[in-house]
Amino acid sequence: MEKLGSMTKEGASSSSTKRKSRRPKYSKFTQQELSACKPILTPGWVISIFVTIGIIFIPIGFASLFASERVVEIIDHYDKDCVPLRYTDDKLAFIQSSKTNKTCIRRLTVPKQMKSPVYIYYQLDHFYQNHRRYVKSRSDSQLRSKSDENKTSTCDPERNSPNGAIVPCGLIAWSLFNDTYKFSVKNKQLGVNKKDITWKSDQGNKFGSDVYPKNFQSGGLIGGAKLNSSIPLSEQEDLIVWMRTAALPTFRKLYGRIEVDLEANDVVIVTIENNYNTYSFGGNKKLVLSTASWIGGKNYLLGIAYLTVGGLCLFLAISFILLYLIKPRPLGDTSYLSWNRGASGGHIFIS
């Protein structure tokens, strides 16, 4: 009886031990014994990879450069030339005075035929839209919904006016670019299409159709353009373009499109209202007329980058080929690799 009792106790203890075990059920997955690809980078593999990259990248680089070369671009740095001579030494007084005539006439010669659409950009230099306090000075909820027009806690210092909350509030909206451009060729006015110049996602999701400007630019210090209070923010595309802040201090923003061809040697008469104050911080303003290609505007950097990487890969491939032919090195025996000694899975590729 004692023997039977002890055996019963031992059986119970062993069964409880089994029940308490946390060891997972055996499988190749849990034991990390699944088949795996373990390539050996032999000279043949390395040379093939470099040659493939070079063959792919170099044609892309040439195609990008040729596409960029076909883009016709006119850049006019007008901010200094549009200041009268008597204000040359005090540009700030000129731009801040409401009594000075800020209309400026510029003549731009078209170097080559510019197929429509001709994109109009304004470019600002030394304007830090990426400054932390500037970027944070906005209220996204206010821009989206009329019910949130009083949510201006993040808009310092342009939060409220004596008449209530400012819509749209914040420094970004307050500093909206307000230079204007009119174009004519051979005494014929050119229309500027300012529709569809924004990202559809911005227009549809970030700016509400029931939100209208309110108390905007009503204070003593005017930062930039004023907005039409009868048009909802979702339709004020100049504002939407401006509110997408730039990452770098030199940036371009789309102003509109000219939807007629401009022929070579045409003289485009540009009437500029030079209103925007870049003189106080040493900034620059430029007007840019540009066509576009499949890679966008004129951009040599992309093509040069592809050519550089492709050329470097081909150079390395040729160097490895010469090195392998002049001073070959015998390959080691792959059976001595750690994963080949008693491993249950694995595939090795050797070229």
Side-chain angles (χ1 to χ4, degrees), residues 34-326:
L34 292 174
S35 297
C37 176
K38 301 167 183 175
I40 305 298
L41 292 178
T42 60
W45 268 107
V46 174
I47 291 169
S48 300
I49 291 170
F50 278 134
V51 169
T52 303
I53 294 174
I55 290 174
I56 294 173
F57 275 41
I58 288 177
I60 295 176
F62 278 119
S64 300
L65 284 178
F66 290 147
S68 185
E69 186 63 32
R70 286 196 294 270
V71 173
V72 184
E73 190 175 82
I74 304 171
I75 302 176
D76 181 37
H77 187 179
Y78 66 86
D79 55 345
K80 293 180 181 177
D81 294 335
C82 285
V83 176
L85 289 176
R86 63 195 183 98
Y87 287 102
T88 302
D89 296 327
D90 195 359
K91 299 181 180 68
L92 198 57
F94 162 76
I95 201 70
Q96 289 180 340
S97 174
S98 59
K99 298 179 180 179
T100 54
N101 181 16
K102 298 186 173 58
T103 303
C104 178
I105 306 297
R106 306 287 288 172
R107 289 172 174 81
L108 309 179
T109 303
V110 180
K112 291 191 292 187
Q113 184 187 41
M114 301 179 75
K115 292 271 188 184
S116 65
V118 179
Y119 295 94
I120 308 166
Y121 299 91
Y122 55 88
Q123 176 175 322
L124 297 180
D125 300 335
H126 307 131
F127 191 112
Y128 289 85
Q129 271 199 320
N130 58 352
H131 191 284
R132 185 176 63 87
R133 290 188 63 189
Y134 184 87
V135 171
K136 290 175 65 176
S137 185
R138 63 186 293 165
S139 174
D140 289 319
S141 58
Q142 184 201 62
L143 296 173
R144 280 193 298 265
S145 174
K146 183 179 181 180
S147 61
D148 293 332
E149 72 173 28
N150 291 319
K151 291 186 177 180
T152 61
S153 59
T154 58
C155 290
D156 283 334
E158 291 296 317
R159 291 179 56 185
N160 299 298
S161 74
N163 298 321
I166 298 173
V167 181
C169 65
L171 283 175
I172 304 176
W174 176 79
S175 60
L176 175 61
F177 188 78
N178 63 342
D179 281 8
T180 61
Y181 311 109
K182 294 180 181 178
F183 303 87
S184 62
V185 174
K186 299 175 182 177
N187 295 322
K188 181 181 178 182
Q189 196 76 21
L190 299 178
V192 177
N193 185 357
K194 305 192 77 169
K195 292 290 185 182
D196 300 324
I197 62 174
T198 65
W199 290 25
K200 290 298 181 185
S201 58
D202 286 357
Q203 191 173 15
N205 302 326
K206 294 185 177 181
F207 294 83
S209 59
D210 62 341
V211 183
Y212 291 81
K214 185 177 178 182
N215 302 319
F216 186 69
Q217 303 286 23
S218 59
L221 186 60
I222 305 299
K226 296 186 177 183
L227 298 174
N228 190 332
S229 60
S230 63
I231 300 176
L233 296 187
S234 60
E235 296 179 18
Q236 308 228 22
E237 297 195 36
D238 283 332
L239 173 70
I240 298 173
V241 170
W242 180 258
M243 293 292 284
R244 176 167 282 276
T245 52
L248 299 174
T250 295
F251 58 87
R252 292 178 182 179
K253 291 186 182 287
L254 187 59
Y255 181 83
R257 296 184 303 274
I258 297 173
E259 297 186 330
V260 296
D261 294 348
L262 299 178
E263 301 300 327
N265 299 317
D266 277 352
V267 177
V268 181
I269 307 299
V270 187
T271 304
I272 301 174
E273 289 297 325
N274 182 24
N275 298 313
Y276 200 68
N277 180 11
T278 57
Y279 306 106
S280 60
F281 57 88
N284 298 316
K285 293 186 289 188
K286 296 174 184 176
L287 170 65
V288 181
L289 302 181
S290 177
T291 57
S293 67
W294 60 271
I295 61 167
K298 189 177 286 292
N299 180 11
Y300 292 111
L301 181 61
L302 184 63
I304 292 171
Y306 271 106
L307 287 177
T308 301
V309 174
L312 183 61
C313 288
L314 284 184
F315 172 76
L316 291 174
I318 294 170
S319 300
F320 286 147
I321 291 172
L322 294 176
L323 185 63
Y324 187 64
L325 293 176
I326 296 170

